[in-house]
Amino acid sequence: MSEVPESASNVAEYTVSEISGALKRTVEDAFGHVRVRGEISGYRGPHSSGHAYLSLKDDKARIEAVIWRSAMSRLRFQPEEGMEVIATGKLTTYPGSSKYQIVIEQMEPAGAGALMALLDERKRRLGAEGLFDAAAKRALPFMPRIIGVVTSPTGAVIHDIIHRITDRFPLHVLVWPVRVQGETAGAEVANAINGFNRLDSDTLPRPDVLIVARGGGSLEDLWGFNDEAVVRAVAASRIPVISAVGHETDWTLIDLVADVRAPTPTGAAEMAVPVKADLQAHIAMMGARLAAGMSRYLNRRRETQRALSRALPSADQLLALPRRHFDETAARLTRALHANTQKKRGHFDGRARQLSPRLLQQRLREKRRETGILAVRLPRALDVFMRDARALYHRRTGRLSIESTGRRAERGRQHLQQLDRRVGQSIDLLLDRAKRRSFELERLMRTLSHASVLERGFAIVLDTSGAPIKRAMDVAGGDDLTLRFQDGDVQAVATNGSDRPLQAKSERPTQVKKPPAPSGSQGSLF
């Protein structure tokens, strides 16, 4: 039996493109939208285009998957390697590589157990880095000036926070709006925390405390606050952070890393600021206590002072001895001053008597006489000394040899010459001293003499005997007086006196005759 040629076969012939297209249509028509449960493997993305590529696998099979950019923005969590998920999408083929894949449109964790396992693993890893240590947490400021809030601007949370802060202690609130749910929630919250820390200007100052808040929800709804970027942003924040995410029974990783965890957003507002009325009441109470304490303290001090003052002597008693000592000292000082004055006056009078012009003239004459006698006696004494020396010389030379006598005679002549010089010098020195003393006495006599007083414009009143009149009571009316000036005398008559009235003399001044030259000028005394 002959073989049938291949060209005569009745099997339909297709091109590669036709087969690939037919398979693509068959797969898409047969399955359409499907839900696939599996573990993420080989996750790559999102790329710069916004798409992400991964594989879903179980213990027996593996299927490729792709998430387009539009679907990535709708995911409520970030896919991670090893996460078990349920993906909803359309099954299709890729003709270029003869592969089939699922185009994922929605994705959710495969039950709460998977998310909790992922959360526990992340908590363990970040806790090992020390991000949750209690020693790293900071205390909240007691009186903040500015509060920063990271939350959604459209929800009820921000209104509750502002209302609570206004009721307790009105102050400035800065709100950084973010999404609190969805794929980008974690990134926006982290950026808001970092942005608040970078504020440092007068127009928009940096807050003193931050509140990160969101209302309650499921684990999937709060998943953005379990993002690793949020945890690290809170740990690195220089501003104290209050976590207020969900209800009191909910917890996220931001609660572990925050400085303070609040059960609700309203509770966070209460933790951030004190109650102004309570502070005012407390200040008033403390002020009253301070005033009462000061009053009691002052009263005790007054009582102590009164008790001490009773034990102290009075001012008169304290000053009695010093006053008596002062009075006695003053009296002794007065007596001492009088005695010293009398002593100085007696000494001065004695010196004045010693330095009177007549006594000075007498002493000057005596010194001159002594000087003259000394000048006469010294040559005589010198002649006697020389005569006695020559006689002694002649007596001794009779007993000495010629040679020794000559030497001694020469020494004697030298000695006599030296003696002559010394005697002459002594005489000259004594004469110089006598002359200087005489000149000093003359100058002192001129200084103390009445002539120097007359040169200064004064006059001396003399009676008829030429004696000076020292007191007015010694002059009687009509007495003839002599007024001695520096350049001469003037005769005058006293017009008033101690024993006769003024009318005894003529009412007109008596003109006296001018004395003969060079005795002085003419004058009269009224």
Side-chain angles (χ1 to χ4, degrees):
M1 185 175 179
S2 62
E3 295 180 359
V4 180
E6 185 180 354
S7 59
S9 175
N10 58 358
V11 179
E13 183 178 305
Y14 300 97
T15 64
V16 175
S17 298
E18 290 174 345
I19 291 294
S20 297
L23 291 173
K24 180 179 177 62
R25 287 190 298 272
T26 301
V27 171
E28 291 178 355
D29 292 341
F31 293 96
H33 284 80
V34 295
R35 286 170 61 85
V36 180
R37 184 187 185 105
E39 180 183 337
I40 297 177
S41 176
Y43 179 75
R44 305 181 302 279
H47 290 269
S48 58
S49 61
H51 311 317
Y53 300 93
L54 65 150
S55 298
L56 297 177
K57 67 176 183 177
D58 56 16
D59 56 346
K60 296 180 180 179
R62 176 189 183 97
I63 183 174
E64 298 294 332
V66 61
I67 306 175
W68 304 125
R69 180 175 60 183
S70 58
M72 281 290 295
S73 61
R74 294 194 299 269
L75 295 181
R76 292 180 298 179
F77 67 97
Q78 178 69 29
E80 294 184 8
E81 187 73 18
M83 182 184 294
E84 186 177 4
V85 297
I86 298 176
T88 302
K90 183 179 180 182
L91 198 63
T92 183
T93 63
Y94 182 60
S97 60
S98 300
K99 295 180 179 179
Y100 68 93
Q101 62 185 6
I102 180 173
V103 179
I104 299 174
E105 298 176 355
Q106 295 180 2
M107 181 183 290
E108 59 187 19
L115 285 179
M116 289 302 297
L118 178 61
L119 185 60
D120 291 339
E121 189 277 333
R122 187 175 295 174
K123 174 183 175 183
R124 179 190 57 77
R125 179 166 50 84
L126 296 177
E129 298 181 13
L131 300 182
F132 304 148
D133 292 345
K137 300 184 183 301
R138 291 152 298 182
L140 299 180
F142 177 75
M143 187 68 66
R145 297 173 301 169
I146 300 173
I147 295 179
V149 180
V150 180
T151 189
S152 174
T154 59
V157 173
I158 185 61
H159 298 287
D160 293 340
I161 292 175
I162 294 177
H163 179 71
R164 195 60 174 165
I165 291 175
T166 303
D167 288 344
R168 292 173 64 86
F169 202 110
L171 46 78
H172 193 52
V173 178
L174 292 179
V175 179
W176 195 299
V178 296
R179 292 185 180 91
V180 295
Q181 186 173 340
E183 176 67 21
T184 61
E188 292 184 13
V189 172
N191 291 334
I193 296 172
N194 294 330
F196 270 131
N197 279 271
R198 287 193 295 267
L199 292 178
D200 192 11
S201 63
D202 296 334
T203 57
L204 198 61
R206 188 170 63 186
D208 299 312
V209 65
L210 294 181
I211 298 177
V212 180
R214 185 200 187 283
S218 63
L219 180 61
E220 292 82 359
D221 296 335
L222 304 178
W223 191 256
F225 295 93
N226 293 318
D227 193 283
E228 184 176 345
V230 175
V231 175
R232 295 189 181 278
V234 174
S237 175
R238 293 175 295 171
I239 306 172
V241 178
I242 300 176
S243 172
V245 178
H247 300 298
E248 187 172 1
T249 57
D250 300 327
W251 71 274
T252 57
L253 294 181
I254 194 175
D255 297 331
L256 302 178
V257 72
D259 297 294
V260 177
R261 178 182 182 271
T264 60
T266 304
E270 294 176 354
M271 292 179 178
V273 293
V275 180
K276 186 176 182 180
D278 293 344
L279 291 178
Q280 292 174 342
H282 182 70
I283 292 174
M285 180 189 68
M286 296 299 293
R289 291 179 60 186
L290 178 61
M294 288 299 297
S295 178
R296 291 192 299 270
Y297 174 75
L298 293 176
N299 290 333
R300 287 197 301 269
R301 297 295 292 179
R302 290 192 187 98
E303 294 175 359
T304 304
Q305 184 179 4
R306 293 192 192 100
L308 294 175
S309 63
R310 287 193 294 268
L312 292 175
S314 63
D316 293 336
Q317 294 174 348
L318 288 175
L319 298 177
L321 291 178
R323 284 174 178 171
R324 180 176 179 180
H325 180 69
F326 178 78
D327 294 339
E328 293 176 355
T329 304
R332 289 198 301 270
L333 179 61
T334 303
R335 291 194 299 270
L337 287 175
H338 286 298
N340 188 52
T341 302
Q342 294 296 332
K343 181 179 179 181
K344 293 295 184 181
R345 183 176 296 170
H347 181 71
F348 176 77
D349 293 341
R351 293 290 296 177
R353 288 192 298 271
Q354 294 178 359
L355 298 178
S356 61
R358 295 178 180 176
L359 183 60
L360 289 175
Q361 291 178 356
Q362 181 179 356
R363 289 186 177 180
L364 182 59
R365 286 193 297 270
E366 292 176 356
K367 291 294 181 181
R368 287 177 177 174
R369 185 168 58 254
E370 292 175 357
T371 304
I373 294 173
L374 182 62
V376 173
R377 288 180 178 178
L378 281 176
R380 294 177 181 176
L382 182 60
D383 293 338
V384 173
F385 176 78
M386 293 297 295
R387 185 172 58 253
D388 294 340
R390 289 190 183 96
L392 179 62
Y393 170 74
H394 289 303
R395 285 195 302 269
R396 290 184 176 181
T397 52
R399 296 192 299 265
L400 298 176
S401 61
I402 298 175
E403 183 178 353
S404 61
T405 301
R407 289 196 298 271
R408 292 189 177 185
E410 182 63 26
R411 287 197 298 271
R413 283 195 297 271
Q414 294 177 358
H415 180 71
L416 289 175
Q417 292 175 359
Q418 293 178 359
L419 185 60
D420 290 339
R421 286 195 300 271
R422 290 180 180 178
V423 170
Q425 292 175 356
S426 300
I427 294 173
D428 294 338
L429 181 60
L430 292 175
L431 291 176
D432 290 339
R433 289 180 179 177
K435 290 179 181 179
R436 284 198 300 271
R437 182 60 179 170
S438 176
F439 292 153
E440 291 177 358
L441 292 175
E442 288 180 357
R443 183 168 60 252
L444 183 60
M445 184 183 69
R446 286 195 300 272
T447 302
L448 299 178
S449 174
H450 69 279
S452 61
V453 178
L454 297 178
E455 290 178 356
R456 292 196 295 272
F458 294 92
I460 299 176
V461 181
L462 306 175
D463 58 10
T464 55
S465 64
I469 300 175
K470 299 180 180 179
R471 295 177 298 177
M473 61 182 300
D474 297 335
V475 180
D479 288 348
D480 294 329
L481 304 175
T482 301
L483 303 181
R484 177 165 295 175
F485 295 93
Q486 186 270 337
D487 56 348
D489 296 343
V490 175
Q491 301 299 321
V493 177
T495 59
N496 195 5
S498 60
D499 57 349
R500 289 194 298 272
L502 182 63
Q503 288 77 10
K505 291 292 181 178
S506 175
E507 294 181 357
R508 298 177 58 85
T510 302
Q511 186 174 4
V512 297
K513 296 182 179 180
K514 180 185 299 185
S519 59
S521 59
Q522 177 179 328
S524 62
L525 180 64
F526 295 91

